[in-house]
Amino acid sequence: MSDRPSPSPTMSEAAADAQLATNRQNPDALVCKADHRLLAEDHRAASAYYRAAQQALNQSGRGSGWLAMQIATTIEWLHQRYMDHIVASLAEAGFQQPDWHPRFAKSLAMMFGKAERPAETRAYPQIPMSFFYADMSYCEFAPREQFEWAEALEAQTASIKREAKKLLQDNQAFNAYVKSAKDRPQGDVHGMLGNVGWSSFELASKGAFDPKQTALCPVTHAALKELPLCQIANRAPTPMFSLLRAGETIPPHTGMINVRYVCHLPLIVPGDGALRVGSTSQEWREGQLMMFDDSVEHEAYNRASTDRLVLIFDVWRPELEMVEREQLNAMFEAVDSY
């Protein structure tokens, strides 16, 4: 492995932050921010900012210069440390490399850059933003009959809707779903950053139910606790009431991981509106669950004159074995401790 980098930032971190507040793609400010994060031993943030700087330099035509080469060397150093940390942490958690589930081992090899993802010919492949898990069967909308708990949850639609409508009366309850990130480089590809046209009331934070939030909707909370919710430390579950205002559209995007199904329980469906996942579109129908793979490109629209409201939550994909769920959790805990 190459020698430890010794960056010399050209401006203070506060000055870099100020420039990035004006232009999130400023390559020099991104490099400076990365340098400060590296000096602070915040390697995850440093890596994110160096990669953002690398992309910004390429887009500005400076991708072959000395600075770009220095960044590439630093990214390589950070990546090797990252791989070593993940493997060591998994072993410490009781998952030695020979014991990794085959799908888990293949997924890590791709994450580490030691294996290529198989060629994909679908128009709408799985493209999770955070982590690709290998060999998950492809689907857009999952068959409802695959979920034995669906009917019992749908039977509680009226009670859940009453709680949600009460929350809607509080103008402070719902906030823009896409929020600013303070500790990572952030773009706004879809124009949804801070946009209250797509708002949410979130029942969990960092993968754990929020007692203050769930106290306001106890029936909903009790119903959700009966489900096989996707449990990933600091990341899931992510249950929420999701409000799409009249005339609003959620642009095409993909979710973070492909080991779950995102589920919609429609509560208020005012008229013309639908969810497209890949090549398939379905209209929301009050009280009828929809389950889909959000790592496949999807978008939503509400062309009605009033707002649409759904309960959203995520469940494990049924084909995942328990040991895979345990190894995934150990891996994400390792990521968080890096």
Side-chain angles (χ1 to χ4, degrees), residues 292-338:
F292 65 99
D293 180 355
D294 78 325
S295 74
V296 176
E297 182 190 273
H298 56 287
E299 62 182 324
Y301 64 84
N302 175 19
R303 296 174 183 157
S305 58
T306 55
D307 300 342
R308 178 233 66 177
L309 184 70
V310 300
L311 173 66
I312 298 181
F313 55 95
D314 42 355
V315 297
W316 288 110
R317 290 187 62 137
E319 64 260 49
L320 276 178
E321 298 177 21
M322 183 57 67
V323 68
E324 293 178 275
R325 301 179 187 184
E326 293 170 350
Q327 290 175 356
L328 280 164
N329 259 293
M331 184 204 76
F332 280 111
E333 288 177 0
V335 169
D336 291 340
S337 67
Y338 174 64

mmCIF file of all heavy atoms in Angstrom, residues 292-338:
data_model
loop_
_atom_site.group_PDB
_atom_site.id
_atom_site.type_symbol
_atom_site.label_atom_id
_atom_site.label_comp_id
_atom_site.label_asym_id
_atom_site.label_seq_id
_atom_site.Cartn_x
_atom_site.Cartn_y
_atom_site.Cartn_z
ATOM 1 N N PHE A 292 -42.561 -3.058 -4.081
ATOM 2 C CA PHE A 292 -41.700 -2.933 -5.250
ATOM 3 C C PHE A 292 -40.239 -2.848 -4.845
ATOM 4 O O PHE A 292 -39.897 -2.541 -3.693
ATOM 5 C CB PHE A 292 -42.096 -1.717 -6.092
ATOM 6 C CG PHE A 292 -41.908 -0.385 -5.414
ATOM 7 C CD1 PHE A 292 -40.785 0.387 -5.665
ATOM 8 C CD2 PHE A 292 -42.863 0.107 -4.535
ATOM 9 C CE1 PHE A 292 -40.610 1.616 -5.050
ATOM 10 C CE2 PHE A 292 -42.701 1.343 -3.920
ATOM 11 C CZ PHE A 292 -41.574 2.095 -4.171
ATOM 12 N N ASP A 293 -39.372 -3.115 -5.803
ATOM 13 C CA ASP A 293 -37.922 -3.016 -5.624
ATOM 14 C C ASP A 293 -37.514 -1.596 -5.973
ATOM 15 O O ASP A 293 -37.496 -1.208 -7.143
ATOM 16 C CB ASP A 293 -37.225 -4.029 -6.530
ATOM 17 C CG ASP A 293 -35.699 -3.985 -6.396
ATOM 18 O OD1 ASP A 293 -35.175 -3.111 -5.684
ATOM 19 O OD2 ASP A 293 -35.040 -4.835 -7.026
ATOM 20 N N ASP A 294 -37.163 -0.802 -4.947
ATOM 21 C CA ASP A 294 -36.869 0.597 -5.229
ATOM 22 C C ASP A 294 -35.456 0.812 -5.758
ATOM 23 O O ASP A 294 -35.073 1.949 -6.038
ATOM 24 C CB ASP A 294 -37.140 1.474 -4.006
ATOM 25 C CG ASP A 294 -36.051 1.413 -2.952
ATOM 26 O OD1 ASP A 294 -35.457 0.319 -2.778
ATOM 27 O OD2 ASP A 294 -35.785 2.431 -2.293
ATOM 28 N N SER A 295 -34.665 -0.276 -5.918
ATOM 29 C CA SER A 295 -33.373 -0.127 -6.589
ATOM 30 C C SER A 295 -33.545 -0.073 -8.102
ATOM 31 O O SER A 295 -32.608 0.221 -8.826
ATOM 32 C CB SER A 295 -32.426 -1.265 -6.209
ATOM 33 O OG SER A 295 -32.784 -2.480 -6.833
ATOM 34 N N VAL A 296 -34.765 -0.357 -8.576
ATOM 35 C CA VAL A 296 -35.126 -0.185 -9.979
ATOM 36 C C VAL A 296 -35.657 1.241 -10.139
ATOM 37 O O VAL A 296 -36.400 1.736 -9.282
ATOM 38 C CB VAL A 296 -36.192 -1.212 -10.407
ATOM 39 C CG1 VAL A 296 -36.641 -0.975 -11.845
ATOM 40 C CG2 VAL A 296 -35.650 -2.633 -10.246
ATOM 41 N N GLU A 297 -35.268 1.892 -11.205
ATOM 42 C CA GLU A 297 -35.712 3.278 -11.402
ATOM 43 C C GLU A 297 -37.219 3.397 -11.251
ATOM 44 O O GLU A 297 -37.978 2.621 -11.824
ATOM 45 C CB GLU A 297 -35.298 3.774 -12.790
ATOM 46 C CG GLU A 297 -35.685 5.230 -13.033
ATOM 47 C CD GLU A 297 -35.507 5.647 -14.482
ATOM 48 O OE1 GLU A 297 -34.391 6.061 -14.828
ATOM 49 O OE2 GLU A 297 -36.489 5.549 -15.254
ATOM 50 N N HIS A 298 -37.648 4.375 -10.455
ATOM 51 C CA HIS A 298 -39.078 4.582 -10.260
ATOM 52 C C HIS A 298 -39.372 6.070 -10.143
ATOM 53 O O HIS A 298 -38.500 6.887 -9.842
ATOM 54 C CB HIS A 298 -39.597 3.826 -9.033
ATOM 55 C CG HIS A 298 -38.885 4.157 -7.762
ATOM 56 N ND1 HIS A 298 -37.597 3.727 -7.480
ATOM 57 C CD2 HIS A 298 -39.270 4.895 -6.677
ATOM 58 C CE1 HIS A 298 -37.233 4.166 -6.296
ATOM 59 N NE2 HIS A 298 -38.212 4.885 -5.788
ATOM 60 N N GLU A 299 -40.606 6.416 -10.385
ATOM 61 C CA GLU A 299 -41.069 7.786 -10.275
ATOM 62 C C GLU A 299 -42.549 7.765 -9.917
ATOM 63 O O GLU A 299 -43.210 6.718 -10.013
ATOM 64 C CB GLU A 299 -40.856 8.550 -11.592
ATOM 65 C CG GLU A 299 -41.621 7.979 -12.775
ATOM 66 C CD GLU A 299 -41.364 8.729 -14.073
ATOM 67 O OE1 GLU A 299 -41.203 9.969 -14.009
ATOM 68 O OE2 GLU A 299 -41.329 8.096 -15.137
ATOM 69 N N ALA A 300 -43.066 8.901 -9.484
ATOM 70 C CA ALA A 300 -44.469 8.982 -9.093
ATOM 71 C C ALA A 300 -45.032 10.335 -9.499
ATOM 72 O O ALA A 300 -44.300 11.328 -9.583
ATOM 73 C CB ALA A 300 -44.613 8.783 -7.585
ATOM 74 N N TYR A 301 -46.333 10.369 -9.732
ATOM 75 C CA TYR A 301 -46.982 11.642 -10.036
ATOM 76 C C TYR A 301 -48.375 11.678 -9.426
ATOM 77 O O TYR A 301 -49.025 10.651 -9.234
ATOM 78 C CB TYR A 301 -47.051 11.883 -11.554
ATOM 79 C CG TYR A 301 -47.900 10.897 -12.319
ATOM 80 C CD1 TYR A 301 -49.285 11.072 -12.423
ATOM 81 C CD2 TYR A 301 -47.340 9.801 -12.950
ATOM 82 C CE1 TYR A 301 -50.076 10.173 -13.142
ATOM 83 C CE2 TYR A 301 -48.119 8.896 -13.661
ATOM 84 C CZ TYR A 301 -49.481 9.077 -13.758
ATOM 85 O OH TYR A 301 -50.256 8.190 -14.446
ATOM 86 N N ASN A 302 -48.804 12.894 -9.099
ATOM 87 C CA ASN A 302 -50.153 13.138 -8.598
ATOM 88 C C ASN A 302 -50.729 14.281 -9.420
ATOM 89 O O ASN A 302 -50.425 15.448 -9.167
ATOM 90 C CB ASN A 302 -50.128 13.497 -7.112
ATOM 91 C CG ASN A 302 -51.507 13.881 -6.593
ATOM 92 O OD1 ASN A 302 -52.527 13.559 -7.214
ATOM 93 N ND2 ASN A 302 -51.542 14.569 -5.464
ATOM 94 N N ARG A 303 -51.542 13.947 -10.402
ATOM 95 C CA ARG A 303 -52.120 14.962 -11.286
ATOM 96 C C ARG A 303 -53.494 15.419 -10.811
ATOM 97 O O ARG A 303 -54.172 16.181 -11.516
ATOM 98 C CB ARG A 303 -52.202 14.409 -12.710
ATOM 99 C CG ARG A 303 -50.829 14.124 -13.307
ATOM 100 C CD ARG A 303 -50.925 13.442 -14.644
ATOM 101 N NE ARG A 303 -49.596 13.123 -15.176
ATOM 102 C CZ ARG A 303 -49.355 12.169 -16.079
ATOM 103 N NH1 ARG A 303 -50.360 11.423 -16.549
ATOM 104 N NH2 ARG A 303 -48.123 11.944 -16.498
ATOM 105 N N ALA A 304 -53.894 14.946 -9.655
ATOM 106 C CA ALA A 304 -55.186 15.343 -9.114
ATOM 107 C C ALA A 304 -55.104 16.748 -8.516
ATOM 108 O O ALA A 304 -54.037 17.348 -8.405
ATOM 109 C CB ALA A 304 -55.628 14.335 -8.055
ATOM 110 N N SER A 305 -56.253 17.268 -8.101
ATOM 111 C CA SER A 305 -56.317 18.633 -7.574
ATOM 112 C C SER A 305 -56.117 18.684 -6.060
ATOM 113 O O SER A 305 -56.086 19.768 -5.474
ATOM 114 C CB SER A 305 -57.660 19.273 -7.935
ATOM 115 O OG SER A 305 -58.742 18.489 -7.416
ATOM 116 N N THR A 306 -55.995 17.531 -5.417
ATOM 117 C CA THR A 306 -55.721 17.482 -3.980
ATOM 118 C C THR A 306 -54.572 16.515 -3.715
ATOM 119 O O THR A 306 -54.122 15.799 -4.614
ATOM 120 C CB THR A 306 -56.970 17.042 -3.191
ATOM 121 O OG1 THR A 306 -57.448 15.788 -3.713
ATOM 122 C CG2 THR A 306 -58.079 18.080 -3.287
ATOM 123 N N ASP A 307 -54.116 16.450 -2.460
ATOM 124 C CA ASP A 307 -52.892 15.741 -2.118
ATOM 125 C C ASP A 307 -53.109 14.232 -1.981
ATOM 126 O O ASP A 307 -54.185 13.766 -1.590
ATOM 127 C CB ASP A 307 -52.330 16.273 -0.797
ATOM 128 C CG ASP A 307 -51.998 17.753 -0.859
ATOM 129 O OD1 ASP A 307 -51.867 18.281 -1.974
ATOM 130 O OD2 ASP A 307 -51.888 18.370 0.222
ATOM 131 N N ARG A 308 -52.065 13.481 -2.275
ATOM 132 C CA ARG A 308 -52.050 12.024 -2.100
ATOM 133 C C ARG A 308 -51.244 11.685 -0.853
ATOM 134 O O ARG A 308 -50.215 12.291 -0.577
ATOM 135 C CB ARG A 308 -51.405 11.368 -3.325
ATOM 136 C CG ARG A 308 -51.275 9.848 -3.240
ATOM 137 C CD ARG A 308 -49.845 9.387 -3.504
ATOM 138 N NE ARG A 308 -48.901 9.813 -2.482
ATOM 139 C CZ ARG A 308 -47.611 9.490 -2.469
ATOM 140 N NH1 ARG A 308 -47.113 8.757 -3.441
ATOM 141 N NH2 ARG A 308 -46.807 9.915 -1.498
ATOM 142 N N LEU A 309 -51.711 10.683 -0.088
ATOM 143 C CA LEU A 309 -51.006 10.271 1.122
ATOM 144 C C LEU A 309 -50.908 8.751 1.175
ATOM 145 O O LEU A 309 -51.906 8.052 0.980
ATOM 146 C CB LEU A 309 -51.746 10.772 2.371
ATOM 147 C CG LEU A 309 -51.060 10.485 3.711
ATOM 148 C CD1 LEU A 309 -49.800 11.341 3.863
ATOM 149 C CD2 LEU A 309 -52.014 10.740 4.868
ATOM 150 N N VAL A 310 -49.700 8.249 1.435
ATOM 151 C CA VAL A 310 -49.499 6.805 1.593
ATOM 152 C C VAL A 310 -48.627 6.554 2.818
ATOM 153 O O VAL A 310 -47.853 7.415 3.238
ATOM 154 C CB VAL A 310 -48.832 6.161 0.348
ATOM 155 C CG1 VAL A 310 -49.677 6.350 -0.898
ATOM 156 C CG2 VAL A 310 -47.429 6.712 0.141
ATOM 157 N N LEU A 311 -48.781 5.370 3.406
ATOM 158 C CA LEU A 311 -47.853 4.882 4.419
ATOM 159 C C LEU A 311 -46.783 4.088 3.692
ATOM 160 O O LEU A 311 -47.100 3.169 2.919
ATOM 161 C CB LEU A 311 -48.572 3.986 5.433
ATOM 162 C CG LEU A 311 -47.674 3.275 6.454
ATOM 163 C CD1 LEU A 311 -47.006 4.270 7.388
ATOM 164 C CD2 LEU A 311 -48.481 2.243 7.253
ATOM 165 N N ILE A 312 -45.522 4.426 3.921
ATOM 166 C CA ILE A 312 -44.409 3.739 3.287
ATOM 167 C C ILE A 312 -43.585 3.026 4.352
ATOM 168 O O ILE A 312 -43.336 3.570 5.418
ATOM 169 C CB ILE A 312 -43.509 4.723 2.505
ATOM 170 C CG1 ILE A 312 -44.288 5.403 1.379
ATOM 171 C CG2 ILE A 312 -42.280 4.010 1.928
ATOM 172 C CD1 ILE A 312 -43.451 6.371 0.549
ATOM 173 N N PHE A 313 -43.170 1.800 4.053
ATOM 174 C CA PHE A 313 -42.270 1.059 4.937
ATOM 175 C C PHE A 313 -41.485 0.072 4.088
ATOM 176 O O PHE A 313 -41.811 -0.156 2.908
ATOM 177 C CB PHE A 313 -43.054 0.330 6.043
ATOM 178 C CG PHE A 313 -44.136 -0.591 5.536
ATOM 179 C CD1 PHE A 313 -43.902 -1.936 5.351
ATOM 180 C CD2 PHE A 313 -45.407 -0.093 5.243
ATOM 181 C CE1 PHE A 313 -44.887 -2.786 4.877
ATOM 182 C CE2 PHE A 313 -46.408 -0.943 4.763
ATOM 183 C CZ PHE A 313 -46.152 -2.288 4.588
ATOM 184 N N ASP A 314 -40.427 -0.517 4.656
ATOM 185 C CA ASP A 314 -39.600 -1.449 3.904
ATOM 186 C C ASP A 314 -39.487 -2.778 4.647
ATOM 187 O O ASP A 314 -39.355 -2.801 5.873
ATOM 188 C CB ASP A 314 -38.216 -0.874 3.595
ATOM 189 C CG ASP A 314 -37.600 -0.116 4.767
ATOM 190 O OD1 ASP A 314 -38.278 0.053 5.803
ATOM 191 O OD2 ASP A 314 -36.449 0.325 4.642
ATOM 192 N N VAL A 315 -39.539 -3.866 3.889
ATOM 193 C CA VAL A 315 -39.432 -5.216 4.446
ATOM 194 C C VAL A 315 -38.292 -5.951 3.743
ATOM 195 O O VAL A 315 -37.917 -5.623 2.620
ATOM 196 C CB VAL A 315 -40.751 -6.013 4.275
ATOM 197 C CG1 VAL A 315 -41.891 -5.351 5.031
ATOM 198 C CG2 VAL A 315 -41.116 -6.187 2.797
ATOM 199 N N TRP A 316 -37.734 -6.943 4.447
ATOM 200 C CA TRP A 316 -36.706 -7.777 3.822
ATOM 201 C C TRP A 316 -37.267 -8.493 2.596
ATOM 202 O O TRP A 316 -38.429 -8.920 2.590
ATOM 203 C CB TRP A 316 -36.220 -8.842 4.798
ATOM 204 C CG TRP A 316 -35.367 -8.372 5.926
ATOM 205 C CD1 TRP A 316 -35.717 -8.325 7.238
ATOM 206 C CD2 TRP A 316 -34.000 -7.923 5.864
ATOM 207 N NE1 TRP A 316 -34.670 -7.860 8.008
ATOM 208 C CE2 TRP A 316 -33.596 -7.606 7.187
ATOM 209 C CE3 TRP A 316 -33.082 -7.751 4.830
ATOM 210 C CZ2 TRP A 316 -32.323 -7.147 7.496
ATOM 211 C CZ3 TRP A 316 -31.817 -7.278 5.134
ATOM 212 C CH2 TRP A 316 -31.450 -6.983 6.440
ATOM 213 N N ARG A 317 -36.443 -8.669 1.598
ATOM 214 C CA ARG A 317 -36.827 -9.550 0.493
ATOM 215 C C ARG A 317 -36.884 -10.973 1.026
ATOM 216 O O ARG A 317 -35.956 -11.430 1.719
ATOM 217 C CB ARG A 317 -35.816 -9.433 -0.649
ATOM 218 C CG ARG A 317 -35.894 -8.091 -1.365
ATOM 219 C CD ARG A 317 -35.014 -8.065 -2.587
ATOM 220 N NE ARG A 317 -35.443 -9.057 -3.566
ATOM 221 C CZ ARG A 317 -35.518 -8.830 -4.877
ATOM 222 N NH1 ARG A 317 -35.221 -7.643 -5.350
ATOM 223 N NH2 ARG A 317 -35.879 -9.778 -5.693
ATOM 224 N N PRO A 318 -37.968 -11.708 0.751
ATOM 225 C CA PRO A 318 -38.165 -13.025 1.369
ATOM 226 C C PRO A 318 -37.064 -14.035 1.070
ATOM 227 O O PRO A 318 -36.835 -14.941 1.877
ATOM 228 C CB PRO A 318 -39.508 -13.488 0.780
ATOM 229 C CG PRO A 318 -40.216 -12.233 0.400
ATOM 230 C CD PRO A 318 -39.136 -11.292 -0.041
ATOM 231 N N GLU A 319 -36.356 -13.899 -0.052
ATOM 232 C CA GLU A 319 -35.358 -14.917 -0.402
ATOM 233 C C GLU A 319 -34.065 -14.791 0.397
ATOM 234 O O GLU A 319 -33.212 -15.671 0.355
ATOM 235 C CB GLU A 319 -35.043 -14.884 -1.904
ATOM 236 C CG GLU A 319 -34.390 -13.610 -2.405
ATOM 237 C CD GLU A 319 -35.366 -12.675 -3.062
ATOM 238 O OE1 GLU A 319 -36.448 -12.412 -2.465
ATOM 239 O OE2 GLU A 319 -35.067 -12.179 -4.167
ATOM 240 N N LEU A 320 -33.887 -13.696 1.138
ATOM 241 C CA LEU A 320 -32.675 -13.534 1.947
ATOM 242 C C LEU A 320 -32.694 -14.480 3.141
ATOM 243 O O LEU A 320 -33.662 -14.497 3.909
ATOM 244 C CB LEU A 320 -32.556 -12.104 2.452
ATOM 245 C CG LEU A 320 -31.941 -11.054 1.542
ATOM 246 C CD1 LEU A 320 -31.973 -9.709 2.228
ATOM 247 C CD2 LEU A 320 -30.530 -11.408 1.140
ATOM 248 N N GLU A 321 -31.635 -15.246 3.310
ATOM 249 C CA GLU A 321 -31.522 -16.117 4.471
ATOM 250 C C GLU A 321 -31.126 -15.309 5.699
ATOM 251 O O GLU A 321 -30.558 -14.217 5.591
ATOM 252 C CB GLU A 321 -30.480 -17.205 4.199
ATOM 253 C CG GLU A 321 -30.833 -18.114 3.026
ATOM 254 C CD GLU A 321 -29.749 -19.135 2.723
ATOM 255 O OE1 GLU A 321 -28.929 -19.414 3.628
ATOM 256 O OE2 GLU A 321 -29.710 -19.644 1.591
ATOM 257 N N MET A 322 -31.409 -15.853 6.874
ATOM 258 C CA MET A 322 -31.110 -15.132 8.115
ATOM 259 C C MET A 322 -29.627 -14.800 8.228
ATOM 260 O O MET A 322 -29.254 -13.705 8.663
ATOM 261 C CB MET A 322 -31.553 -15.953 9.316
ATOM 262 C CG MET A 322 -31.341 -15.237 10.647
ATOM 263 S SD MET A 322 -32.186 -13.619 10.747
ATOM 264 C CE MET A 322 -33.902 -14.183 10.736
ATOM 265 N N VAL A 323 -28.753 -15.724 7.823
ATOM 266 C CA VAL A 323 -27.326 -15.453 7.939
ATOM 267 C C VAL A 323 -26.912 -14.298 7.036
ATOM 268 O O VAL A 323 -26.011 -13.522 7.375
ATOM 269 C CB VAL A 323 -26.494 -16.725 7.626
ATOM 270 C CG1 VAL A 323 -26.599 -17.111 6.142
ATOM 271 C CG2 VAL A 323 -25.041 -16.528 8.020
ATOM 272 N N GLU A 324 -27.575 -14.131 5.918
ATOM 273 C CA GLU A 324 -27.275 -13.002 5.042
ATOM 274 C C GLU A 324 -27.676 -11.684 5.709
ATOM 275 O O GLU A 324 -26.946 -10.689 5.640
ATOM 276 C CB GLU A 324 -28.005 -13.154 3.710
ATOM 277 C CG GLU A 324 -27.514 -14.315 2.862
ATOM 278 C CD GLU A 324 -28.303 -14.446 1.577
ATOM 279 O OE1 GLU A 324 -29.382 -15.084 1.598
ATOM 280 O OE2 GLU A 324 -27.857 -13.911 0.545
ATOM 281 N N ARG A 325 -28.820 -11.679 6.355
ATOM 282 C CA ARG A 325 -29.258 -10.475 7.055
ATOM 283 C C ARG A 325 -28.254 -10.129 8.157
ATOM 284 O O ARG A 325 -27.907 -8.963 8.357
ATOM 285 C CB ARG A 325 -30.651 -10.685 7.647
ATOM 286 C CG ARG A 325 -31.715 -11.019 6.613
ATOM 287 C CD ARG A 325 -33.067 -11.245 7.268
ATOM 288 N NE ARG A 325 -34.053 -11.730 6.309
ATOM 289 C CZ ARG A 325 -35.340 -11.949 6.592
ATOM 290 N NH1 ARG A 325 -35.790 -11.719 7.817
ATOM 291 N NH2 ARG A 325 -36.175 -12.393 5.667
ATOM 292 N N GLU A 326 -27.779 -11.157 8.875
ATOM 293 C CA GLU A 326 -26.811 -10.926 9.946
ATOM 294 C C GLU A 326 -25.494 -10.402 9.385
ATOM 295 O O GLU A 326 -24.884 -9.473 9.953
ATOM 296 C CB GLU A 326 -26.586 -12.226 10.715
ATOM 297 C CG GLU A 326 -27.813 -12.684 11.499
ATOM 298 C CD GLU A 326 -27.648 -14.089 12.049
ATOM 299 O OE1 GLU A 326 -26.667 -14.772 11.659
ATOM 300 O OE2 GLU A 326 -28.488 -14.508 12.874
ATOM 301 N N GLN A 327 -25.039 -10.964 8.276
ATOM 302 C CA GLN A 327 -23.779 -10.510 7.691
ATOM 303 C C GLN A 327 -23.912 -9.105 7.104
ATOM 304 O O GLN A 327 -22.971 -8.293 7.205
ATOM 305 C CB GLN A 327 -23.305 -11.519 6.640
ATOM 306 C CG GLN A 327 -22.850 -12.828 7.274
ATOM 307 C CD GLN A 327 -22.492 -13.902 6.265
ATOM 308 O OE1 GLN A 327 -22.646 -13.735 5.054
ATOM 309 N NE2 GLN A 327 -22.013 -15.044 6.761
ATOM 310 N N LEU A 328 -25.048 -8.798 6.527
ATOM 311 C CA LEU A 328 -25.275 -7.444 6.027
ATOM 312 C C LEU A 328 -25.248 -6.438 7.169
ATOM 313 O O LEU A 328 -24.643 -5.364 7.055
ATOM 314 C CB LEU A 328 -26.618 -7.369 5.294
ATOM 315 C CG LEU A 328 -26.616 -7.904 3.861
ATOM 316 C CD1 LEU A 328 -28.034 -8.157 3.380
ATOM 317 C CD2 LEU A 328 -25.915 -6.918 2.931
ATOM 318 N N ASN A 329 -25.880 -6.785 8.286
ATOM 319 C CA ASN A 329 -25.870 -5.881 9.428
ATOM 320 C C ASN A 329 -24.453 -5.687 9.956
ATOM 321 O O ASN A 329 -24.045 -4.566 10.287
ATOM 322 C CB ASN A 329 -26.788 -6.415 10.528
ATOM 323 C CG ASN A 329 -28.125 -5.701 10.547
ATOM 324 O OD1 ASN A 329 -28.184 -4.517 10.858
ATOM 325 N ND2 ASN A 329 -29.175 -6.402 10.187
ATOM 326 N N ALA A 330 -23.691 -6.783 10.034
ATOM 327 C CA ALA A 330 -22.308 -6.676 10.504
ATOM 328 C C ALA A 330 -21.490 -5.817 9.555
ATOM 329 O O ALA A 330 -20.628 -5.028 9.991
ATOM 330 C CB ALA A 330 -21.697 -8.069 10.634
ATOM 331 N N MET A 331 -21.737 -5.936 8.269
ATOM 332 C CA MET A 331 -21.002 -5.131 7.296
ATOM 333 C C MET A 331 -21.317 -3.653 7.457
ATOM 334 O O MET A 331 -20.418 -2.794 7.485
ATOM 335 C CB MET A 331 -21.336 -5.567 5.877
ATOM 336 C CG MET A 331 -20.539 -4.826 4.803
ATOM 337 S SD MET A 331 -21.349 -4.800 3.204
ATOM 338 C CE MET A 331 -22.613 -3.549 3.480
ATOM 339 N N PHE A 332 -22.601 -3.308 7.588
ATOM 340 C CA PHE A 332 -22.964 -1.889 7.720
ATOM 341 C C PHE A 332 -22.487 -1.313 9.054
ATOM 342 O O PHE A 332 -22.125 -0.134 9.136
ATOM 343 C CB PHE A 332 -24.467 -1.692 7.531
ATOM 344 C CG PHE A 332 -24.890 -1.674 6.088
ATOM 345 C CD1 PHE A 332 -25.644 -2.698 5.545
ATOM 346 C CD2 PHE A 332 -24.504 -0.638 5.256
ATOM 347 C CE1 PHE A 332 -26.032 -2.681 4.212
ATOM 348 C CE2 PHE A 332 -24.886 -0.602 3.917
ATOM 349 C CZ PHE A 332 -25.640 -1.639 3.394
ATOM 350 N N GLU A 333 -22.455 -2.130 10.093
ATOM 351 C CA GLU A 333 -21.871 -1.675 11.351
ATOM 352 C C GLU A 333 -20.377 -1.397 11.180
ATOM 353 O O GLU A 333 -19.841 -0.431 11.746
ATOM 354 C CB GLU A 333 -22.117 -2.701 12.449
ATOM 355 C CG GLU A 333 -23.568 -2.759 12.907
ATOM 356 C CD GLU A 333 -23.798 -3.847 13.946
ATOM 357 O OE1 GLU A 333 -22.847 -4.542 14.301
ATOM 358 O OE2 GLU A 333 -24.967 -3.986 14.380
ATOM 359 N N ALA A 334 -19.723 -2.225 10.376
ATOM 360 C CA ALA A 334 -18.310 -1.984 10.086
ATOM 361 C C ALA A 334 -18.121 -0.701 9.294
ATOM 362 O O ALA A 334 -17.195 0.083 9.542
ATOM 363 C CB ALA A 334 -17.725 -3.170 9.318
ATOM 364 N N VAL A 335 -19.000 -0.465 8.324
ATOM 365 C CA VAL A 335 -18.949 0.778 7.549
ATOM 366 C C VAL A 335 -19.080 1.982 8.478
ATOM 367 O O VAL A 335 -18.331 2.961 8.377
ATOM 368 C CB VAL A 335 -20.057 0.783 6.486
ATOM 369 C CG1 VAL A 335 -20.182 2.173 5.847
ATOM 370 C CG2 VAL A 335 -19.777 -0.251 5.403
ATOM 371 N N ASP A 336 -20.021 1.898 9.403
ATOM 372 C CA ASP A 336 -20.270 3.026 10.304
ATOM 373 C C ASP A 336 -19.121 3.259 11.283
ATOM 374 O O ASP A 336 -18.943 4.388 11.761
ATOM 375 C CB ASP A 336 -21.575 2.811 11.079
ATOM 376 C CG ASP A 336 -22.794 2.901 10.183
ATOM 377 O OD1 ASP A 336 -22.696 3.480 9.092
ATOM 378 O OD2 ASP A 336 -23.859 2.381 10.581
ATOM 379 N N SER A 337 -18.375 2.222 11.582
ATOM 380 C CA SER A 337 -17.275 2.363 12.541
ATOM 381 C C SER A 337 -15.960 2.738 11.857
ATOM 382 O O SER A 337 -14.951 2.926 12.534
ATOM 383 C CB SER A 337 -17.080 1.065 13.336
ATOM 384 O OG SER A 337 -16.620 0.009 12.504
ATOM 385 N N TYR A 338 -15.972 2.839 10.545
ATOM 386 C CA TYR A 338 -14.745 3.160 9.813
ATOM 387 C C TYR A 338 -14.370 4.628 10.005
ATOM 388 O O TYR A 338 -15.218 5.505 9.861
ATOM 389 C CB TYR A 338 -14.935 2.836 8.338
ATOM 390 C CG TYR A 338 -13.792 3.258 7.441
ATOM 391 C CD1 TYR A 338 -12.538 2.700 7.578
ATOM 392 C CD2 TYR A 338 -13.992 4.241 6.476
ATOM 393 C CE1 TYR A 338 -11.500 3.085 6.750
ATOM 394 C CE2 TYR A 338 -12.955 4.629 5.652
ATOM 395 C CZ TYR A 338 -11.711 4.049 5.793
ATOM 396 O OH TYR A 338 -10.679 4.447 4.975
#
